Amino acid sequence: MAFGQASQSTPRPSFVPDVELTLRAAPGETQILPGAPTPVWRFTGQVLKGPAETLQVIPNSYLGPVIRLRKGQKVRIRFSNALSESTIVHWHGLDVPSMMDGHPRLVIDQGTEYVYEFEVINRAGTYWYHPHPHGRTGPQVYRGLAGLVVISDEEEAALNLPSGTEEIVCVLQDRKFDTQNRLTYIAGGMMDQMHGFLGDRILVNGQERPSLSLAARAYRLRLLNGSNARIYKLMWSDGTPMTIIGTDGGLLERPLGRPYLTLVPGERADIVLDLSRHPVGTSLQLRSLAFPSAPFEVSMGMGMMGRGARSMGRAGRQTSTANGAPFSILTIRVQRRESSNFELPANLSTFDASWRPQRVDRSPRRVLSVQFGMMQWLLNGRAFEMNGVASNEMVSLDSKEVWEFDNSGPAMMGMRLAHPLHLHGRQFRVLNRQVDQALARDWESLREGFTDEGWKDTVLVMPGERVQILVHFTRYPGVFLYHCHNLEHEDMGMMRNYRVVAQAG
């Protein structure tokens, strides 16, 4: 089944926004490394209507402004393209109409505008925005086009969580630079596409391994893995547990304590770091721990390139930091004491009981398999078709379904990778995971960092694993996407449409 192309280049007179913004994608430059500035692409914006604090610029960063919205607001965003190629913006994690979701069929050319209009219906949480043109999402995000969306609501406000200067946003990305400080991309050609592109420098908000001077009190950190393909296994260097209060779709029911946090491309996590018991002068690091690289390395077999070739240059020179390599991300220094009476609430939010696993036994099940063929990653044996929806990709509006992401099939040509799978249009709940015991060692290396207890829009599916999620297709009919959020895999065609159809009568 196919569907036509449409666009929205002018505002609707019937839509009266509470907040109206401009957002522009254009070339620029920024200082990242010592020496010459780095050419980038970046989002900039302006508030036309609504609170001035709706847009917050991150200092010394190429990232787009943080867009702060409240649940219930009606929002209009006038997006203009000043790039040398077509683009469109996807509001990752937001529940918006199909025409507002940033499907690649809606790309706009240089010098044109797309008008987004939607009501904020998501729970309070950390979301983000980035380009979504087919075949060019990876390079456009890599060059700098990304930003956070932070939503608040009354339920969250009642908790008195750390805010203002006690709230820190951290967008984690890896990049690679040449000798003139220019970004380099896909230097390894097809192998970088097969694996997903990895850099050799770790950036936080566009700066390499920053150091933060903080007080001995509690802080809220909003984390986004904005990397193209890198997976992080996050831990505090002094062994302080990771206290997780929110996931992709907002607050958890109760805080989670984890020895580490697994964060895959596209995923977000809110954590609380309580420094109140740390003496002034304490220094601790946020690190990514080592884990086996096997699920993230391509072994071509048959005399072709094997594992390890991904990270080696022509003369055996290391050219990127492998997935699973340990490294430091940022440093926190406790430089002063401040009075604080913050106590982490035992209960954060209330989830609808109808979403519990024991309530979904009769829900339809839809199996979506990960495969490799025709030198590309596929979903159910199919690559992306701009205007195509298969018969088994049709969903009834207001239906509740169990989708099973199946990565347990046989390896083809030695190809067996982990994939972060992302669903547009709805948040979901993870019901269960089943893994082939022959491949359980690699799965075990990351599983304690999974945050399956919360609302999700992106989930890691390891080799040999079958992950079941529960999705309720409420609110909006239309065409949405599901795809791998390894951006190079997505650009290769590991992406499909699904269509939500309102039932007649």
Side-chain angles (χ1 to χ4, degrees):
M1 176 176 292
F3 50 94
Q5 182 169 341
S7 63
Q8 180 167 324
S9 58
T10 57
R12 291 176 294 159
S14 60
F15 186 88
V16 181
D18 303 301
V19 172
E20 185 168 2
L21 312 172
T22 65
L23 189 69
R24 183 172 182 261
E29 62 179 24
T30 189
Q31 194 73 46
I32 301 176
L33 304 177
T38 298
V40 295
W41 288 357
R42 69 197 323 167
F43 288 119
T44 57
Q46 182 181 0
V47 178
L48 302 179
K49 179 182 179 181
E53 61 270 20
T54 300
L55 292 184
Q56 294 183 345
V57 175
I58 300 176
N60 304 314
S61 177
Y62 56 73
L63 292 170
V66 178
I67 302 176
R68 292 188 176 268
L69 303 171
R70 294 193 309 275
K71 185 176 182 179
Q73 284 181 326
K74 291 185 176 181
V75 181
R76 175 182 290 147
I77 301 175
R78 297 172 177 264
F79 170 62
S80 60
N81 178 15
L83 305 174
S84 57
E85 60 187 65
S86 299
T87 192
I88 196 69
V89 177
H90 168 52
W91 309 99
H92 185 123
L94 294 191
D95 192 351
V96 297
S98 174
M99 290 295 297
M100 302 299 139
D101 189 53
H103 192 283
R105 77 184 190 280
L106 304 175
V107 293
I108 59 173
D109 295 330
Q110 183 182 38
T112 59
E113 182 176 83
Y114 195 95
V115 179
Y116 295 90
E117 294 174 335
F118 56 85
E119 180 181 349
V120 178
I121 64 174
N122 286 74
R123 306 168 71 243
T126 306
Y127 307 87
W128 65 303
Y129 60 99
H130 62 78
H132 218 296
H134 180 46
R136 295 292 297 169
T137 297
Q140 289 193 7
V141 172
Y142 186 79
R143 294 184 74 168
L145 292 174
L148 289 175
V149 179
V150 175
I151 294 176
S152 59
D153 63 16
E154 293 182 359
E155 182 182 47
E156 180 192 57
L159 300 174
N160 294 315
L161 296 170
S163 61
T165 58
E166 282 73 59
E167 179 186 283
I168 302 169
V169 298
C170 294
V171 179
L172 311 183
Q173 297 173 313
D174 56 337
R175 296 291 185 265
K176 188 179 294 186
F177 299 83
D178 66 13
T179 56
Q180 283 77 48
N181 288 348
R182 297 171 299 193
L183 292 168
T184 62
Y185 181 69
I186 306 293
M190 180 58 71
M191 291 306 293
D192 278 341
Q193 289 281 355
M194 293 295 185
H195 290 270
F197 187 78
L198 301 173
D200 57 1
R201 293 178 182 267
I202 308 302
L203 307 183
V204 181
N205 298 342
Q207 295 296 312
E208 187 174 21
R209 295 188 174 95
S211 179
L212 308 178
S213 298
L214 303 180
R217 59 179 304 153
Y219 289 85
R220 178 181 187 173
L221 277 69
R222 297 182 181 265
L223 303 175
L224 161 66
N225 182 346
S227 299
N228 282 34
R230 183 172 299 282
I231 293 174
Y232 298 88
K233 184 176 179 179
L234 301 174
M235 182 180 180
W236 295 113
S237 59
D238 66 350
T240 297
M242 300 294 289
T243 302
I244 304 160
I245 62 170
T247 54
D248 296 341
L251 293 173
L252 295 161
E253 290 184 293
R254 291 170 291 278
L256 295 177
R258 291 285 194 267
Y260 60 85
L261 169 65
T262 303
L263 204 65
V264 305
E267 261 192 317
R268 288 86 64 210
D270 282 8
I271 65 174
V272 168
L273 174 63
D274 190 351
L275 299 173
S276 61
R277 297 182 182 179
H278 289 65
V280 172
T282 298
S283 177
L284 69 157
Q285 292 182 335
L286 180 63
R287 294 176 176 167
S288 188
L289 304 179
F291 56 87
S293 63
F296 314 99
E297 296 286 345
V298 172
S299 177
M300 295 294 289
M302 300 175 63
M304 298 176 69
M305 296 176 70
R307 285 179 188 163
R310 170 67 179 83
S311 58
M312 304 302 291
R314 291 181 179 178
R317 180 176 58 88
Q318 183 90 6
T319 59
S320 64
T321 301
N323 240 331
F327 49 79
S328 173
I329 295 173
L330 62 81
T331 299
I332 289 176
R333 305 184 191 282
V334 181
Q335 290 200 335
R336 62 192 184 279
R337 302 209 66 84
E338 290 182 2
S339 60
S340 173
N341 58 359
F342 172 75
E343 292 187 11
L344 183 62
N347 297 296
L348 298 169
S349 66
T350 302
F351 288 1
D352 183 347
S354 69
W355 289 78
R356 307 285 185 213
Q358 62 269 27
R359 302 288 186 91
V360 300
D361 291 340
R362 297 182 181 178
S363 299
R365 280 165 168 73
R366 190 181 299 262
V367 177
L368 305 166
S369 61
V370 173
Q371 298 161 339
F372 183 81
M374 299 178 291
M375 295 304 293
Q376 63 183 140
W377 296 104
L378 306 170
L379 291 167
N380 272 356
R382 305 183 185 103
F384 181 59
E385 301 171 86
M386 185 69 74
N387 295 309
V389 182
S391 59
N392 65 346
E393 294 169 326
M394 304 292 288
V395 176
S396 296
L397 184 65
D398 203 32
S399 64
K400 188 176 290 185
E401 293 193 358
V402 174
W403 285 24
E404 181 176 287
F405 294 128
D406 182 2
N407 194 14
S408 65
M412 297 181 64
M413 297 178 62
M415 296 288 190
R416 191 188 289 277
L417 265 69
H419 298 279
L421 295 178
H422 169 52
L423 183 69
H424 285 221
R426 290 301 293 158
Q427 295 286 323
F428 55 77
R429 299 294 306 280
V430 177
L431 297 180
N432 62 65
R433 296 174 179 266
Q434 299 173 345
V435 65
D436 184 337
Q437 288 305 302
L439 299 171
R441 181 184 69 92
D442 295 330
W443 181 81
E444 289 283 353
S445 71
L446 292 171
R447 71 170 182 86
E448 287 188 79
F450 296 159
T451 52
D452 293 346
E453 295 86 342
W455 291 94
K456 306 287 291 179
D457 55 56
T458 306
V459 63
L460 178 64
V461 185
M462 296 284 283
E465 189 175 25
R466 302 164 72 101
V467 179
Q468 289 188 346
I469 66 172
L470 178 64
V471 194
H472 192 180
F473 296 97
T474 59
R475 192 78 177 198
Y476 298 121
V479 175
F480 298 91
L481 296 165
Y482 64 100
H483 60 84
C484 182
H485 219 281
N486 179 315
L487 297 185
E488 284 66 52
H489 292 178
E490 172 187 336
D491 283 343
M492 289 178 73
M494 193 178 178
M495 176 166 66
R496 292 291 303 172
N497 295 311
Y498 74 93
R499 187 167 194 165
V500 182
V501 181
Q503 295 300 299

